[in-house]
Structures are given as structure tokens and as C-alpha cells.
Amino acid sequence: MSLGDEDLLWVSKLLDGADVKRRRVPPSSVSLTGKVASTKNTRSQHAESLLEADFLRLLESDHRVERFASQAVCIPWVLPSGRRSHYTPDVIVKYTDAELAKNPWRRHTVFEVKPAGVIQAQWKELKPKWIAARRWCRSFGLAFRVVTEARIRGPELANITFLKRFRLEDLTDDPQSMAATLEHMRSLLAGMRQGTPRRLLERWAKDPDERSRMLPWVWHLIGTGQIRTNLNEPLTMASSIWIEHGRTR
């Protein structure tokens, strides 16, 4: 493992101690490449396309995901011609212990991000590579999945893009002054049988102006995972919201 890639230690552990080294993503004249900031890792993660960057943003916001790393796994495989080669999928994902306990069928997963049109046009070339990748992943107890824009660019991506507007630093210069207020709001929601943003604000205040003032903070709590909702559905004032059992922050 190269210096500066300490954040790949967890990948090595998933692969039974195998040596891992991140593949460098060179600039491309065909697609847009770049980096996606991540608080779940010690460094930003590389993306080879806008579609891959969008998928990394989904992983960053997914409370079930503990860590993820792009271009970190190199899979050996044999081409139909018999020539040996290597294949680097886009990202490997480690799920939280809580998620694995809740869903025992879940496995840490290697993902390939590919537009549906590319899959259709290159299926004959991609199929044997992905069969080899699935076989290799199974040998380490991992899953292998291919995701397209149909999975990535849905309501969830639209929701997290919207919620990013309500970061703490954008809402106040004195976050400590709001801590008790936000905890009280969460306590109100915890005591409701069925919560929505509208019902929570109605419980919070009778004054419409005060409700409007606090609405961005409701979105902030949802965006930071302190209030849960189904992000796979369009987020509205009537969306179901709740406090995850056993979660205090």
C-alpha cells in the first residue's frame, strides 16, 4: 500500500490483507473527471464521469454506508482470447455494522457505474469481465453490482442536492445557540405518532412567520440524518419523517 493511501486499510482488511493501491484517474478529453468531497473518508474520492460523481454523492449521504473508495480494487481476469488482464471497478463500499445486523443478506459491495446506453452497445465486451468480477467478489464474501443512471438519477439524488443548501454554516454564524432548539424540535417529533415537516412545524409554533423561519432547520436536520425520511420519494411538506430508534444525534 502506497504512502498517503492509509484510508485504503479497510479495503485491504475486506480482501483478507491483500495489498491494494488506488488507480490514478487521469484527465479525460471525452468525459468530465474530478473529485467528490467526503466526510466518510480521509480524502476526496475520484470520479471518472458526472454519473460516477453523482453516485459517490449518494454514498456520502447514505447512513447505511460507513466507508467507500473509488478505483481501489484491481480484479484479475482472463479475456476470451486467453490473455490475462486486470479490471478496476469504480467503487467499493463498506456498510455499517448496524446495517449488516438489520439486513443479514447485505454484503459489502463492489460497484461499476455505467450508462445504460454504453452497456447495451458494449455488452459482448463487458459481460465476461463482469462475470469474472462477480466470481472474484464472491471469493471474498463481497457482492458485485452494476448501476446505471436509472438507479442514480432519481428522487434521492434530487433530494440530497436540495438538502445540501441547508448546511449549518449557511444557516447561522453561531451554531451553538441553535443546539438546544434543534434538540427540542427532535424531541417534539419523537413524541408524534406520525410526523411530517408540516405537522412538526404546526406543533412547534402557531405563528406562520416562526414556522417559515424554522423550516430551513427542518431540512437541515433531515439533510444531516438527525431526522429520517424516505429519500427515495420526492421530499415535500407532507413527507413522513421520524427519529430513528436509539439515535440521539
Side-chain angles (χ1 to χ4, degrees), residues 179-205:
T181 299
L182 296 182
E183 189 58 35
H184 179 51
M185 179 173 284
R186 295 179 70 253
S187 297
L188 282 179
L189 177 59
M192 298 173 63
R193 293 184 60 184
Q194 185 176 9
T196 67
R198 179 179 291 110
R199 289 174 179 169
L200 177 58
L201 290 171
E202 289 173 349
R203 181 73 64 88
W204 178 264

PDB file of all heavy atoms in Angstrom, residues 179-205:
ATOM      1  N   ALA A 179     -28.284  24.647  19.136  1.00  0.00           N
ATOM      2  CA  ALA A 179     -28.215  23.234  19.513  1.00  0.00           C
ATOM      3  C   ALA A 179     -29.420  22.808  20.356  1.00  0.00           C
ATOM      4  O   ALA A 179     -30.068  21.788  20.074  1.00  0.00           O
ATOM      5  CB  ALA A 179     -26.912  22.957  20.258  1.00  0.00           C
ATOM      6  N   ALA A 180     -29.736  23.577  21.403  1.00  0.00           N
ATOM      7  CA  ALA A 180     -30.856  23.218  22.283  1.00  0.00           C
ATOM      8  C   ALA A 180     -32.182  23.309  21.535  1.00  0.00           C
ATOM      9  O   ALA A 180     -33.085  22.483  21.737  1.00  0.00           O
ATOM     10  CB  ALA A 180     -30.868  24.126  23.507  1.00  0.00           C
ATOM     11  N   THR A 181     -32.296  24.302  20.651  1.00  0.00           N
ATOM     12  CA  THR A 181     -33.532  24.470  19.887  1.00  0.00           C
ATOM     13  C   THR A 181     -33.775  23.279  18.970  1.00  0.00           C
ATOM     14  O   THR A 181     -34.887  22.748  18.898  1.00  0.00           O
ATOM     15  CB  THR A 181     -33.458  25.759  19.048  1.00  0.00           C
ATOM     16  OG1 THR A 181     -33.297  26.881  19.914  1.00  0.00           O
ATOM     17  CG2 THR A 181     -34.721  25.931  18.211  1.00  0.00           C
ATOM     18  N   LEU A 182     -32.727  22.824  18.282  1.00  0.00           N
ATOM     19  CA  LEU A 182     -32.868  21.699  17.363  1.00  0.00           C
ATOM     20  C   LEU A 182     -33.133  20.401  18.114  1.00  0.00           C
ATOM     21  O   LEU A 182     -33.901  19.550  17.650  1.00  0.00           O
ATOM     22  CB  LEU A 182     -31.621  21.577  16.497  1.00  0.00           C
ATOM     23  CG  LEU A 182     -31.344  22.755  15.563  1.00  0.00           C
ATOM     24  CD1 LEU A 182     -30.102  22.478  14.724  1.00  0.00           C
ATOM     25  CD2 LEU A 182     -32.531  23.048  14.667  1.00  0.00           C
ATOM     26  N   GLU A 183     -32.525  20.247  19.287  1.00  0.00           N
ATOM     27  CA  GLU A 183     -32.781  19.049  20.084  1.00  0.00           C
ATOM     28  C   GLU A 183     -34.229  19.042  20.573  1.00  0.00           C
ATOM     29  O   GLU A 183     -34.876  17.985  20.620  1.00  0.00           O
ATOM     30  CB  GLU A 183     -31.823  18.989  21.271  1.00  0.00           C
ATOM     31  CG  GLU A 183     -31.879  17.673  22.030  1.00  0.00           C
ATOM     32  CD  GLU A 183     -31.582  16.472  21.144  1.00  0.00           C
ATOM     33  OE1 GLU A 183     -30.751  16.596  20.223  1.00  0.00           O
ATOM     34  OE2 GLU A 183     -32.200  15.406  21.353  1.00  0.00           O
ATOM     35  N   HIS A 184     -34.761  20.211  20.904  1.00  0.00           N
ATOM     36  CA  HIS A 184     -36.165  20.298  21.305  1.00  0.00           C
ATOM     37  C   HIS A 184     -37.082  19.938  20.136  1.00  0.00           C
ATOM     38  O   HIS A 184     -38.096  19.248  20.317  1.00  0.00           O
ATOM     39  CB  HIS A 184     -36.474  21.709  21.801  1.00  0.00           C
ATOM     40  CG  HIS A 184     -37.908  21.903  22.218  1.00  0.00           C
ATOM     41  ND1 HIS A 184     -38.563  21.060  23.092  1.00  0.00           N
ATOM     42  CD2 HIS A 184     -38.822  22.846  21.854  1.00  0.00           C
ATOM     43  CE1 HIS A 184     -39.803  21.467  23.270  1.00  0.00           C
ATOM     44  NE2 HIS A 184     -39.988  22.544  22.517  1.00  0.00           N
ATOM     45  N   MET A 185     -36.715  20.371  18.931  1.00  0.00           N
ATOM     46  CA  MET A 185     -37.514  20.038  17.757  1.00  0.00           C
ATOM     47  C   MET A 185     -37.519  18.530  17.525  1.00  0.00           C
ATOM     48  O   MET A 185     -38.560  17.930  17.222  1.00  0.00           O
ATOM     49  CB  MET A 185     -36.972  20.777  16.530  1.00  0.00           C
ATOM     50  CG  MET A 185     -37.722  20.466  15.237  1.00  0.00           C
ATOM     51  SD  MET A 185     -37.192  21.506  13.861  1.00  0.00           S
ATOM     52  CE  MET A 185     -38.014  23.054  14.281  1.00  0.00           C
ATOM     53  N   ARG A 186     -36.380  17.887  17.697  1.00  0.00           N
ATOM     54  CA  ARG A 186     -36.306  16.444  17.541  1.00  0.00           C
ATOM     55  C   ARG A 186     -37.136  15.729  18.613  1.00  0.00           C
ATOM     56  O   ARG A 186     -37.764  14.703  18.348  1.00  0.00           O
ATOM     57  CB  ARG A 186     -34.849  15.970  17.600  1.00  0.00           C
ATOM     58  CG  ARG A 186     -33.999  16.472  16.443  1.00  0.00           C
ATOM     59  CD  ARG A 186     -32.554  16.002  16.527  1.00  0.00           C
ATOM     60  NE  ARG A 186     -32.478  14.568  16.271  1.00  0.00           N
ATOM     61  CZ  ARG A 186     -32.242  13.646  17.190  1.00  0.00           C
ATOM     62  NH1 ARG A 186     -32.061  13.989  18.457  1.00  0.00           N
ATOM     63  NH2 ARG A 186     -32.188  12.377  16.876  1.00  0.00           N
ATOM     64  N   SER A 187     -37.139  16.279  19.812  1.00  0.00           N
ATOM     65  CA  SER A 187     -37.930  15.692  20.899  1.00  0.00           C
ATOM     66  C   SER A 187     -39.422  15.786  20.592  1.00  0.00           C
ATOM     67  O   SER A 187     -40.184  14.857  20.872  1.00  0.00           O
ATOM     68  CB  SER A 187     -37.626  16.401  22.223  1.00  0.00           C
ATOM     69  OG  SER A 187     -36.272  16.222  22.591  1.00  0.00           O
ATOM     70  N   LEU A 188     -39.824  16.908  20.002  1.00  0.00           N
ATOM     71  CA  LEU A 188     -41.222  17.045  19.603  1.00  0.00           C
ATOM     72  C   LEU A 188     -41.603  15.976  18.583  1.00  0.00           C
ATOM     73  O   LEU A 188     -42.661  15.344  18.683  1.00  0.00           O
ATOM     74  CB  LEU A 188     -41.480  18.437  19.011  1.00  0.00           C
ATOM     75  CG  LEU A 188     -41.629  19.608  19.973  1.00  0.00           C
ATOM     76  CD1 LEU A 188     -41.849  20.886  19.180  1.00  0.00           C
ATOM     77  CD2 LEU A 188     -42.794  19.384  20.932  1.00  0.00           C
ATOM     78  N   LEU A 189     -40.734  15.772  17.603  1.00  0.00           N
ATOM     79  CA  LEU A 189     -41.010  14.777  16.572  1.00  0.00           C
ATOM     80  C   LEU A 189     -41.056  13.366  17.167  1.00  0.00           C
ATOM     81  O   LEU A 189     -41.911  12.549  16.793  1.00  0.00           O
ATOM     82  CB  LEU A 189     -39.948  14.845  15.476  1.00  0.00           C
ATOM     83  CG  LEU A 189     -40.063  13.813  14.348  1.00  0.00           C
ATOM     84  CD1 LEU A 189     -41.413  13.933  13.628  1.00  0.00           C
ATOM     85  CD2 LEU A 189     -38.917  13.975  13.354  1.00  0.00           C
ATOM     86  N   ALA A 190     -40.168  13.085  18.112  1.00  0.00           N
ATOM     87  CA  ALA A 190     -40.131  11.756  18.736  1.00  0.00           C
ATOM     88  C   ALA A 190     -41.428  11.432  19.453  1.00  0.00           C
ATOM     89  O   ALA A 190     -41.811  10.267  19.581  1.00  0.00           O
ATOM     90  CB  ALA A 190     -38.953  11.665  19.701  1.00  0.00           C
ATOM     91  N   GLY A 191     -42.131  12.486  19.925  1.00  0.00           N
ATOM     92  CA  GLY A 191     -43.385  12.276  20.635  1.00  0.00           C
ATOM     93  C   GLY A 191     -44.611  12.249  19.743  1.00  0.00           C
ATOM     94  O   GLY A 191     -45.737  12.080  20.242  1.00  0.00           O
ATOM     95  N   MET A 192     -44.424  12.386  18.423  1.00  0.00           N
ATOM     96  CA  MET A 192     -45.558  12.383  17.499  1.00  0.00           C
ATOM     97  C   MET A 192     -45.783  10.986  16.935  1.00  0.00           C
ATOM     98  O   MET A 192     -44.832  10.268  16.637  1.00  0.00           O
ATOM     99  CB  MET A 192     -45.295  13.375  16.358  1.00  0.00           C
ATOM    100  CG  MET A 192     -45.150  14.813  16.819  1.00  0.00           C
ATOM    101  SD  MET A 192     -44.639  15.949  15.497  1.00  0.00           S
ATOM    102  CE  MET A 192     -46.037  15.824  14.380  1.00  0.00           C
ATOM    103  N   ARG A 193     -47.021  10.604  16.782  1.00  0.00           N
ATOM    104  CA  ARG A 193     -47.340   9.285  16.227  1.00  0.00           C
ATOM    105  C   ARG A 193     -46.986   9.221  14.754  1.00  0.00           C
ATOM    106  O   ARG A 193     -46.502   8.211  14.252  1.00  0.00           O
ATOM    107  CB  ARG A 193     -48.825   8.974  16.429  1.00  0.00           C
ATOM    108  CG  ARG A 193     -49.238   8.781  17.871  1.00  0.00           C
ATOM    109  CD  ARG A 193     -50.681   8.380  17.986  1.00  0.00           C
ATOM    110  NE  ARG A 193     -50.955   7.122  17.297  1.00  0.00           N
ATOM    111  CZ  ARG A 193     -52.169   6.590  17.177  1.00  0.00           C
ATOM    112  NH1 ARG A 193     -53.222   7.205  17.687  1.00  0.00           N
ATOM    113  NH2 ARG A 193     -52.334   5.444  16.540  1.00  0.00           N
ATOM    114  N   GLN A 194     -47.251  10.285  14.032  1.00  0.00           N
ATOM    115  CA  GLN A 194     -46.942  10.340  12.601  1.00  0.00           C
ATOM    116  C   GLN A 194     -46.500  11.751  12.260  1.00  0.00           C
ATOM    117  O   GLN A 194     -47.303  12.679  12.331  1.00  0.00           O
ATOM    118  CB  GLN A 194     -48.155   9.940  11.757  1.00  0.00           C
ATOM    119  CG  GLN A 194     -47.847   9.853  10.266  1.00  0.00           C
ATOM    120  CD  GLN A 194     -49.042   9.364   9.470  1.00  0.00           C
ATOM    121  OE1 GLN A 194     -50.143   9.250  10.006  1.00  0.00           O
ATOM    122  NE2 GLN A 194     -48.831   9.064   8.200  1.00  0.00           N
ATOM    123  N   GLY A 195     -45.238  11.902  11.909  1.00  0.00           N
ATOM    124  CA  GLY A 195     -44.709  13.226  11.665  1.00  0.00           C
ATOM    125  C   GLY A 195     -44.528  13.543  10.192  1.00  0.00           C
ATOM    126  O   GLY A 195     -44.257  12.659   9.376  1.00  0.00           O
ATOM    127  N   THR A 196     -44.686  14.809   9.877  1.00  0.00           N
ATOM    128  CA  THR A 196     -44.342  15.364   8.571  1.00  0.00           C
ATOM    129  C   THR A 196     -43.717  16.733   8.850  1.00  0.00           C
ATOM    130  O   THR A 196     -43.887  17.275   9.949  1.00  0.00           O
ATOM    131  CB  THR A 196     -45.574  15.558   7.668  1.00  0.00           C
ATOM    132  OG1 THR A 196     -46.409  16.589   8.231  1.00  0.00           O
ATOM    133  CG2 THR A 196     -46.379  14.268   7.528  1.00  0.00           C
ATOM    134  N   PRO A 197     -42.988  17.308   7.922  1.00  0.00           N
ATOM    135  CA  PRO A 197     -42.472  18.662   8.153  1.00  0.00           C
ATOM    136  C   PRO A 197     -43.582  19.651   8.516  1.00  0.00           C
ATOM    137  O   PRO A 197     -43.402  20.484   9.419  1.00  0.00           O
ATOM    138  CB  PRO A 197     -41.811  19.007   6.812  1.00  0.00           C
ATOM    139  CG  PRO A 197     -41.346  17.689   6.294  1.00  0.00           C
ATOM    140  CD  PRO A 197     -42.439  16.730   6.671  1.00  0.00           C
ATOM    141  N   ARG A 198     -44.714  19.560   7.837  1.00  0.00           N
ATOM    142  CA  ARG A 198     -45.822  20.480   8.129  1.00  0.00           C
ATOM    143  C   ARG A 198     -46.342  20.285   9.555  1.00  0.00           C
ATOM    144  O   ARG A 198     -46.522  21.254  10.308  1.00  0.00           O
ATOM    145  CB  ARG A 198     -46.955  20.273   7.130  1.00  0.00           C
ATOM    146  CG  ARG A 198     -48.160  21.180   7.386  1.00  0.00           C
ATOM    147  CD  ARG A 198     -49.261  20.996   6.375  1.00  0.00           C
ATOM    148  NE  ARG A 198     -48.850  21.490   5.068  1.00  0.00           N
ATOM    149  CZ  ARG A 198     -48.604  20.712   4.008  1.00  0.00           C
ATOM    150  NH1 ARG A 198     -48.729  19.388   4.115  1.00  0.00           N
ATOM    151  NH2 ARG A 198     -48.233  21.226   2.865  1.00  0.00           N
ATOM    152  N   ARG A 199     -46.580  19.037   9.958  1.00  0.00           N
ATOM    153  CA  ARG A 199     -47.117  18.779  11.297  1.00  0.00           C
ATOM    154  C   ARG A 199     -46.111  19.134  12.386  1.00  0.00           C
ATOM    155  O   ARG A 199     -46.498  19.621  13.459  1.00  0.00           O
ATOM    156  CB  ARG A 199     -47.519  17.312  11.415  1.00  0.00           C
ATOM    157  CG  ARG A 199     -48.760  16.961  10.606  1.00  0.00           C
ATOM    158  CD  ARG A 199     -49.023  15.470  10.634  1.00  0.00           C
ATOM    159  NE  ARG A 199     -50.217  15.121   9.873  1.00  0.00           N
ATOM    160  CZ  ARG A 199     -50.557  13.881   9.568  1.00  0.00           C
ATOM    161  NH1 ARG A 199     -49.794  12.865   9.962  1.00  0.00           N
ATOM    162  NH2 ARG A 199     -51.664  13.648   8.869  1.00  0.00           N
ATOM    163  N   LEU A 200     -44.843  18.903  12.125  1.00  0.00           N
ATOM    164  CA  LEU A 200     -43.828  19.257  13.109  1.00  0.00           C
ATOM    165  C   LEU A 200     -43.796  20.761  13.333  1.00  0.00           C
ATOM    166  O   LEU A 200     -43.728  21.229  14.478  1.00  0.00           O
ATOM    167  CB  LEU A 200     -42.458  18.764  12.641  1.00  0.00           C
ATOM    168  CG  LEU A 200     -41.269  19.126  13.540  1.00  0.00           C
ATOM    169  CD1 LEU A 200     -41.463  18.583  14.955  1.00  0.00           C
ATOM    170  CD2 LEU A 200     -39.966  18.602  12.942  1.00  0.00           C
ATOM    171  N   LEU A 201     -43.869  21.536  12.264  1.00  0.00           N
ATOM    172  CA  LEU A 201     -43.840  22.994  12.400  1.00  0.00           C
ATOM    173  C   LEU A 201     -45.129  23.513  13.038  1.00  0.00           C
ATOM    174  O   LEU A 201     -45.102  24.498  13.783  1.00  0.00           O
ATOM    175  CB  LEU A 201     -43.623  23.638  11.029  1.00  0.00           C
ATOM    176  CG  LEU A 201     -42.219  23.434  10.443  1.00  0.00           C
ATOM    177  CD1 LEU A 201     -42.159  23.913   9.011  1.00  0.00           C
ATOM    178  CD2 LEU A 201     -41.168  24.147  11.300  1.00  0.00           C
ATOM    179  N   GLU A 202     -46.253  22.861  12.767  1.00  0.00           N
ATOM    180  CA  GLU A 202     -47.505  23.249  13.416  1.00  0.00           C
ATOM    181  C   GLU A 202     -47.439  22.986  14.913  1.00  0.00           C
ATOM    182  O   GLU A 202     -47.994  23.750  15.714  1.00  0.00           O
ATOM    183  CB  GLU A 202     -48.678  22.487  12.793  1.00  0.00           C
ATOM    184  CG  GLU A 202     -49.012  22.950  11.381  1.00  0.00           C
ATOM    185  CD  GLU A 202     -50.060  22.070  10.706  1.00  0.00           C
ATOM    186  OE1 GLU A 202     -50.362  20.983  11.255  1.00  0.00           O
ATOM    187  OE2 GLU A 202     -50.568  22.468   9.638  1.00  0.00           O
ATOM    188  N   ARG A 203     -46.771  21.884  15.294  1.00  0.00           N
ATOM    189  CA  ARG A 203     -46.569  21.595  16.707  1.00  0.00           C
ATOM    190  C   ARG A 203     -45.586  22.587  17.333  1.00  0.00           C
ATOM    191  O   ARG A 203     -45.689  22.920  18.515  1.00  0.00           O
ATOM    192  CB  ARG A 203     -46.061  20.161  16.864  1.00  0.00           C
ATOM    193  CG  ARG A 203     -45.822  19.701  18.297  1.00  0.00           C
ATOM    194  CD  ARG A 203     -47.122  19.451  19.027  1.00  0.00           C
ATOM    195  NE  ARG A 203     -47.864  18.359  18.428  1.00  0.00           N
ATOM    196  CZ  ARG A 203     -47.712  17.075  18.757  1.00  0.00           C
ATOM    197  NH1 ARG A 203     -46.822  16.728  19.671  1.00  0.00           N
ATOM    198  NH2 ARG A 203     -48.444  16.142  18.180  1.00  0.00           N
ATOM    199  N   TRP A 204     -44.646  23.040  16.518  1.00  0.00           N
ATOM    200  CA  TRP A 204     -43.606  23.932  17.014  1.00  0.00           C
ATOM    201  C   TRP A 204     -44.153  25.325  17.353  1.00  0.00           C
ATOM    202  O   TRP A 204     -43.826  25.886  18.392  1.00  0.00           O
ATOM    203  CB  TRP A 204     -42.503  24.055  15.968  1.00  0.00           C
ATOM    204  CG  TRP A 204     -41.404  24.992  16.359  1.00  0.00           C
ATOM    205  CD1 TRP A 204     -41.273  26.308  16.020  1.00  0.00           C
ATOM    206  CD2 TRP A 204     -40.276  24.685  17.179  1.00  0.00           C
ATOM    207  NE1 TRP A 204     -40.146  26.844  16.562  1.00  0.00           N
ATOM    208  CE2 TRP A 204     -39.505  25.863  17.286  1.00  0.00           C
ATOM    209  CE3 TRP A 204     -39.838  23.534  17.827  1.00  0.00           C
ATOM    210  CZ2 TRP A 204     -38.333  25.922  18.026  1.00  0.00           C
ATOM    211  CZ3 TRP A 204     -38.660  23.588  18.557  1.00  0.00           C
ATOM    212  CH2 TRP A 204     -37.923  24.769  18.652  1.00  0.00           C
ATOM    213  N   ALA A 205     -44.970  25.893  16.463  1.00  0.00           N
ATOM    214  CA  ALA A 205     -45.421  27.275  16.665  1.00  0.00           C
ATOM    215  C   ALA A 205     -46.747  27.526  15.951  1.00  0.00           C
ATOM    216  O   ALA A 205     -47.034  26.927  14.912  1.00  0.00           O
ATOM    217  CB  ALA A 205     -44.371  28.255  16.159  1.00  0.00           C
TER     218      ALA A 205
END
